[in-house]
Amino acid sequence: MLKSVHRIINTPLRTQVRVVQQHRFFSSEPEKNIDEIGNEKVRQLADSISNLTVLEASWLSDILRKKLNIPKPSFNSMPMMTSPITAAPAATAPAAAAAAPVAEVKEKTELDIKLESYSADSKIKIIKEIRAITSLGLKEAKELVEKAPIVIKGNVPKAEAEELKKQLEAAGAKVSLD
């Protein structure tokens, strides 16, 4: 198994993508030719990136995430399909803020519920509340609580978020709404 993991890590992404494409269903729309997309500089960059190994691509991801101040996605609080979509606006947020210095501040209607901390004697009560809120199993809820501070549930309507915060605080947790 170690050999197969080593082989995957050191195989260029381009090769791995070809293998995946052989097993995917393609749409009936014709794809654009590579020469029609972007400029030469971008195409050369894409070619260089596609020749990276999985490990090198991971390092590149970490470097770009730190340079662009993009937080690591929390897969516990949101579906996996939404994480790339939410990461893109985060990268453009500083540029948008610089372009429009006068912006209207809107009150959030959807909030993230974040478990900040808890007392050891109330851990079991909090795990039970987390299970009720997230419908996780006992093991998963325990692991989630032990990772505090962590977002428990994301994009919750404000009224529901405040109610859940009260429930968790009644169980002995310190909770914040972001």
Short mmCIF file of all heavy atoms in Angstrom, two decimals, residues 118-159:
data_model
loop_
_atom_site.label_atom_id
_atom_site.label_comp_id
_atom_site.label_asym_id
_atom_site.label_seq_id
_atom_site.Cartn_x
_atom_site.Cartn_y
_atom_site.Cartn_z
N TYR A 118 -15.54 24.90 26.16
CA TYR A 118 -16.51 24.25 27.03
C TYR A 118 -15.81 23.81 28.29
O TYR A 118 -14.59 23.65 28.33
CB TYR A 118 -17.17 23.06 26.33
CG TYR A 118 -16.20 22.00 25.90
CD1 TYR A 118 -15.89 20.93 26.74
CD2 TYR A 118 -15.55 22.07 24.67
CE1 TYR A 118 -14.99 19.96 26.35
CE2 TYR A 118 -14.65 21.11 24.29
CZ TYR A 118 -14.36 20.06 25.14
OH TYR A 118 -13.46 19.10 24.75
N SER A 119 -16.58 23.61 29.34
CA SER A 119 -15.99 23.09 30.57
C SER A 119 -16.02 21.56 30.51
O SER A 119 -16.93 20.97 29.92
CB SER A 119 -16.76 23.59 31.79
OG SER A 119 -18.10 23.17 31.73
N ALA A 120 -15.04 20.94 31.12
CA ALA A 120 -14.89 19.48 31.05
C ALA A 120 -16.09 18.75 31.63
O ALA A 120 -16.49 17.70 31.12
CB ALA A 120 -13.62 19.05 31.77
N ASP A 121 -16.71 19.31 32.68
CA ASP A 121 -17.83 18.63 33.30
C ASP A 121 -19.12 18.70 32.48
O ASP A 121 -20.06 17.96 32.72
CB ASP A 121 -18.07 19.15 34.73
CG ASP A 121 -18.26 20.65 34.78
OD1 ASP A 121 -17.65 21.33 33.94
OD2 ASP A 121 -19.00 21.13 35.66
N SER A 122 -19.16 19.59 31.49
CA SER A 122 -20.37 19.69 30.65
C SER A 122 -20.16 19.09 29.26
O SER A 122 -21.02 19.25 28.38
CB SER A 122 -20.79 21.15 30.53
OG SER A 122 -19.77 21.89 29.91
N LYS A 123 -19.05 18.40 29.06
CA LYS A 123 -18.72 17.86 27.74
C LYS A 123 -19.79 16.91 27.21
O LYS A 123 -20.18 16.99 26.04
CB LYS A 123 -17.37 17.14 27.82
CG LYS A 123 -16.87 16.59 26.51
CD LYS A 123 -15.49 15.99 26.69
CE LYS A 123 -14.98 15.40 25.41
NZ LYS A 123 -13.64 14.80 25.58
N ILE A 124 -20.31 16.03 28.04
CA ILE A 124 -21.31 15.04 27.59
C ILE A 124 -22.59 15.74 27.16
O ILE A 124 -23.17 15.40 26.12
CB ILE A 124 -21.58 14.01 28.71
CG1 ILE A 124 -20.31 13.18 28.94
CG2 ILE A 124 -22.75 13.10 28.34
CD1 ILE A 124 -20.37 12.26 30.12
N LYS A 125 -23.01 16.75 27.91
CA LYS A 125 -24.22 17.51 27.55
C LYS A 125 -24.03 18.20 26.20
O LYS A 125 -24.94 18.21 25.37
CB LYS A 125 -24.55 18.55 28.62
CG LYS A 125 -24.97 17.97 29.94
CD LYS A 125 -25.20 19.10 30.92
CE LYS A 125 -25.41 18.59 32.33
NZ LYS A 125 -25.50 19.68 33.30
N ILE A 126 -22.86 18.75 26.01
CA ILE A 126 -22.57 19.47 24.75
C ILE A 126 -22.55 18.49 23.58
O ILE A 126 -23.08 18.78 22.51
CB ILE A 126 -21.25 20.25 24.86
CG1 ILE A 126 -21.39 21.33 25.93
CG2 ILE A 126 -20.85 20.84 23.52
CD1 ILE A 126 -20.11 21.97 26.33
N ILE A 127 -21.96 17.32 23.78
CA ILE A 127 -21.93 16.31 22.72
C ILE A 127 -23.35 15.92 22.33
O ILE A 127 -23.68 15.79 21.14
CB ILE A 127 -21.11 15.07 23.15
CG1 ILE A 127 -19.62 15.44 23.25
CG2 ILE A 127 -21.29 13.92 22.17
CD1 ILE A 127 -18.74 14.37 23.86
N LYS A 128 -24.23 15.77 23.32
CA LYS A 128 -25.63 15.43 23.03
C LYS A 128 -26.31 16.54 22.23
O LYS A 128 -27.05 16.27 21.28
CB LYS A 128 -26.40 15.18 24.33
CG LYS A 128 -26.03 13.88 25.00
CD LYS A 128 -26.83 13.68 26.28
CE LYS A 128 -26.43 12.40 26.98
NZ LYS A 128 -27.18 12.21 28.24
N GLU A 129 -26.05 17.79 22.59
CA GLU A 129 -26.63 18.92 21.85
C GLU A 129 -26.09 18.98 20.43
O GLU A 129 -26.84 19.22 19.48
CB GLU A 129 -26.35 20.24 22.58
CG GLU A 129 -27.14 20.44 23.84
CD GLU A 129 -28.64 20.53 23.60
OE1 GLU A 129 -29.08 21.04 22.55
OE2 GLU A 129 -29.39 20.08 24.49
N ILE A 130 -24.79 18.75 20.27
CA ILE A 130 -24.18 18.76 18.93
C ILE A 130 -24.80 17.66 18.08
O ILE A 130 -25.11 17.88 16.90
CB ILE A 130 -22.64 18.56 19.02
CG1 ILE A 130 -21.97 19.69 19.79
CG2 ILE A 130 -22.02 18.39 17.64
CD1 ILE A 130 -21.99 21.02 19.12
N ARG A 131 -25.01 16.50 18.65
CA ARG A 131 -25.65 15.40 17.90
C ARG A 131 -27.04 15.80 17.45
O ARG A 131 -27.45 15.51 16.32
CB ARG A 131 -25.72 14.14 18.76
CG ARG A 131 -24.38 13.47 18.94
CD ARG A 131 -24.51 12.16 19.65
NE ARG A 131 -25.19 11.21 18.77
CZ ARG A 131 -25.74 10.09 19.18
NH1 ARG A 131 -25.73 9.76 20.44
NH2 ARG A 131 -26.32 9.28 18.33
N ALA A 132 -27.79 16.47 18.32
CA ALA A 132 -29.14 16.89 17.97
C ALA A 132 -29.13 17.95 16.88
O ALA A 132 -29.96 17.95 15.97
CB ALA A 132 -29.86 17.42 19.21
N ILE A 133 -28.17 18.86 16.94
CA ILE A 133 -28.09 19.97 15.98
C ILE A 133 -27.63 19.48 14.61
O ILE A 133 -28.17 19.87 13.58
CB ILE A 133 -27.14 21.07 16.51
CG1 ILE A 133 -27.76 21.75 17.73
CG2 ILE A 133 -26.83 22.08 15.43
CD1 ILE A 133 -26.79 22.67 18.46
N THR A 134 -26.58 18.64 14.60
CA THR A 134 -25.94 18.27 13.34
C THR A 134 -26.33 16.90 12.82
O THR A 134 -25.96 16.56 11.70
CB THR A 134 -24.41 18.29 13.51
OG1 THR A 134 -24.05 17.33 14.51
CG2 THR A 134 -23.91 19.66 13.88
N SER A 135 -27.01 16.11 13.62
CA SER A 135 -27.37 14.72 13.30
C SER A 135 -26.13 13.87 13.01
O SER A 135 -26.14 13.00 12.15
CB SER A 135 -28.38 14.64 12.16
OG SER A 135 -27.82 15.06 10.94
N LEU A 136 -25.05 14.14 13.75
CA LEU A 136 -23.83 13.34 13.66
C LEU A 136 -23.95 12.15 14.60
O LEU A 136 -24.75 12.16 15.53
CB LEU A 136 -22.61 14.17 14.06
CG LEU A 136 -22.17 15.29 13.13
CD1 LEU A 136 -21.05 16.09 13.77
CD2 LEU A 136 -21.71 14.75 11.79
N GLY A 137 -23.11 11.16 14.39
CA GLY A 137 -23.03 10.04 15.31
C GLY A 137 -22.28 10.44 16.56
O GLY A 137 -21.69 11.53 16.64
N LEU A 138 -22.28 9.57 17.54
CA LEU A 138 -21.63 9.86 18.82
C LEU A 138 -20.14 10.13 18.64
O LEU A 138 -19.61 11.13 19.16
CB LEU A 138 -21.85 8.70 19.80
CG LEU A 138 -21.21 8.86 21.17
CD1 LEU A 138 -21.80 10.06 21.89
CD2 LEU A 138 -21.44 7.60 22.00
N LYS A 139 -19.46 9.29 17.90
CA LYS A 139 -18.01 9.44 17.71
C LYS A 139 -17.68 10.75 16.99
O LYS A 139 -16.79 11.49 17.40
CB LYS A 139 -17.47 8.26 16.90
CG LYS A 139 -15.98 8.31 16.66
CD LYS A 139 -15.52 7.14 15.82
CE LYS A 139 -14.05 7.27 15.50
NZ LYS A 139 -13.60 6.26 14.56
N GLU A 140 -18.43 11.05 15.92
CA GLU A 140 -18.18 12.27 15.15
C GLU A 140 -18.46 13.51 15.97
O GLU A 140 -17.72 14.50 15.92
CB GLU A 140 -19.02 12.28 13.87
CG GLU A 140 -18.62 11.24 12.86
CD GLU A 140 -19.25 9.88 13.11
OE1 GLU A 140 -20.09 9.77 14.02
OE2 GLU A 140 -18.88 8.91 12.43
N ALA A 141 -19.54 13.49 16.76
CA ALA A 141 -19.89 14.64 17.60
C ALA A 141 -18.81 14.85 18.66
O ALA A 141 -18.42 15.99 18.94
CB ALA A 141 -21.25 14.42 18.25
N LYS A 142 -18.32 13.76 19.25
CA LYS A 142 -17.26 13.86 20.27
C LYS A 142 -16.00 14.46 19.66
O LYS A 142 -15.37 15.36 20.23
CB LYS A 142 -16.96 12.48 20.85
CG LYS A 142 -15.89 12.48 21.92
CD LYS A 142 -15.66 11.05 22.42
CE LYS A 142 -14.58 11.01 23.46
NZ LYS A 142 -13.25 10.84 22.92
N GLU A 143 -15.61 13.99 18.47
CA GLU A 143 -14.42 14.51 17.80
C GLU A 143 -14.59 15.99 17.46
O GLU A 143 -13.66 16.77 17.59
CB GLU A 143 -14.13 13.71 16.54
CG GLU A 143 -13.63 12.31 16.82
CD GLU A 143 -13.51 11.46 15.57
OE1 GLU A 143 -13.93 11.90 14.47
OE2 GLU A 143 -13.02 10.32 15.69
N LEU A 144 -15.79 16.37 17.05
CA LEU A 144 -16.06 17.77 16.72
C LEU A 144 -15.92 18.65 17.95
O LEU A 144 -15.28 19.70 17.90
CB LEU A 144 -17.47 17.89 16.12
CG LEU A 144 -17.85 19.25 15.58
CD1 LEU A 144 -17.05 19.57 14.32
CD2 LEU A 144 -19.32 19.31 15.26
N VAL A 145 -16.48 18.22 19.07
CA VAL A 145 -16.40 19.00 20.31
C VAL A 145 -14.95 19.12 20.76
O VAL A 145 -14.52 20.19 21.20
CB VAL A 145 -17.28 18.34 21.41
CG1 VAL A 145 -17.00 18.96 22.77
CG2 VAL A 145 -18.75 18.48 21.06
N GLU A 146 -14.19 18.06 20.63
CA GLU A 146 -12.79 18.08 21.07
C GLU A 146 -11.91 18.97 20.20
O GLU A 146 -10.81 19.33 20.61
CB GLU A 146 -12.24 16.65 21.13
CG GLU A 146 -12.87 15.85 22.25
CD GLU A 146 -12.47 14.38 22.23
OE1 GLU A 146 -11.95 13.89 21.21
OE2 GLU A 146 -12.72 13.71 23.25
N LYS A 147 -12.36 19.32 19.02
CA LYS A 147 -11.59 20.19 18.13
C LYS A 147 -11.84 21.68 18.40
O LYS A 147 -11.34 22.51 17.66
CB LYS A 147 -11.93 19.90 16.67
CG LYS A 147 -11.41 18.58 16.18
CD LYS A 147 -11.78 18.38 14.73
CE LYS A 147 -11.38 17.02 14.22
NZ LYS A 147 -11.82 16.81 12.83
N ALA A 148 -12.63 22.00 19.41
CA ALA A 148 -12.97 23.40 19.71
C ALA A 148 -11.70 24.24 19.81
O ALA A 148 -10.71 23.77 20.32
CB ALA A 148 -13.77 23.48 21.00
N PRO A 149 -11.70 25.45 19.27
CA PRO A 149 -12.78 26.18 18.61
C PRO A 149 -12.98 25.71 17.17
O PRO A 149 -12.02 25.57 16.42
CB PRO A 149 -12.31 27.63 18.65
CG PRO A 149 -10.82 27.53 18.72
CD PRO A 149 -10.50 26.25 19.45
N ILE A 150 -14.24 25.49 16.82
CA ILE A 150 -14.59 24.99 15.49
C ILE A 150 -16.02 25.40 15.13
O ILE A 150 -16.86 25.54 16.01
CB ILE A 150 -14.44 23.46 15.41
CG1 ILE A 150 -14.57 22.97 13.98
CG2 ILE A 150 -15.42 22.78 16.33
CD1 ILE A 150 -14.09 21.55 13.78
N VAL A 151 -16.25 25.61 13.84
CA VAL A 151 -17.60 25.93 13.36
C VAL A 151 -18.41 24.64 13.37
O VAL A 151 -18.03 23.64 12.76
CB VAL A 151 -17.56 26.54 11.94
CG1 VAL A 151 -18.97 26.73 11.41
CG2 VAL A 151 -16.81 27.84 11.94
N ILE A 152 -19.52 24.68 14.09
CA ILE A 152 -20.38 23.50 14.22
C ILE A 152 -21.33 23.39 13.04
O ILE A 152 -21.51 22.34 12.47
CB ILE A 152 -21.19 23.58 15.53
CG1 ILE A 152 -20.25 23.57 16.72
CG2 ILE A 152 -22.18 22.44 15.62
CD1 ILE A 152 -20.92 23.92 18.01
N LYS A 153 -21.92 24.52 12.69
CA LYS A 153 -22.90 24.53 11.61
C LYS A 153 -22.79 25.88 10.90
O LYS A 153 -22.71 26.91 11.55
CB LYS A 153 -24.31 24.31 12.19
CG LYS A 153 -25.34 23.92 11.18
CD LYS A 153 -26.62 23.47 11.87
CE LYS A 153 -27.62 22.99 10.85
NZ LYS A 153 -28.87 22.57 11.47
N GLY A 154 -22.82 25.87 9.59
CA GLY A 154 -22.66 27.09 8.82
C GLY A 154 -23.93 27.50 8.11
O GLY A 154 -24.81 26.69 7.85
N ASN A 155 -24.01 28.79 7.81
CA ASN A 155 -25.12 29.37 7.05
C ASN A 155 -26.49 29.03 7.65
O ASN A 155 -27.38 28.53 6.97
CB ASN A 155 -25.06 28.94 5.58
CG ASN A 155 -23.80 29.44 4.91
OD1 ASN A 155 -23.28 30.50 5.25
ND2 ASN A 155 -23.30 28.69 3.96
N VAL A 156 -26.62 29.33 8.92
CA VAL A 156 -27.87 29.08 9.64
C VAL A 156 -28.63 30.41 9.72
O VAL A 156 -28.02 31.44 10.01
CB VAL A 156 -27.57 28.55 11.06
CG1 VAL A 156 -28.85 28.29 11.82
CG2 VAL A 156 -26.74 27.29 10.99
N PRO A 157 -29.94 30.42 9.46
CA PRO A 157 -30.71 31.65 9.62
C PRO A 157 -30.52 32.24 11.02
O PRO A 157 -30.36 31.51 11.99
CB PRO A 157 -32.16 31.21 9.40
CG PRO A 157 -32.05 29.96 8.58
CD PRO A 157 -30.77 29.31 9.01
N LYS A 158 -30.52 33.57 11.09
CA LYS A 158 -30.18 34.27 12.33
C LYS A 158 -31.02 33.82 13.52
O LYS A 158 -30.48 33.55 14.60
CB LYS A 158 -30.32 35.78 12.12
CG LYS A 158 -29.84 36.59 13.29
CD LYS A 158 -29.90 38.07 13.00
CE LYS A 158 -29.37 38.86 14.18
NZ LYS A 158 -29.35 40.28 13.91
N ALA A 159 -32.32 33.70 13.36
CA ALA A 159 -33.20 33.32 14.46
C ALA A 159 -32.86 31.92 14.96
O ALA A 159 -32.77 31.67 16.17
CB ALA A 159 -34.66 33.39 14.03
#
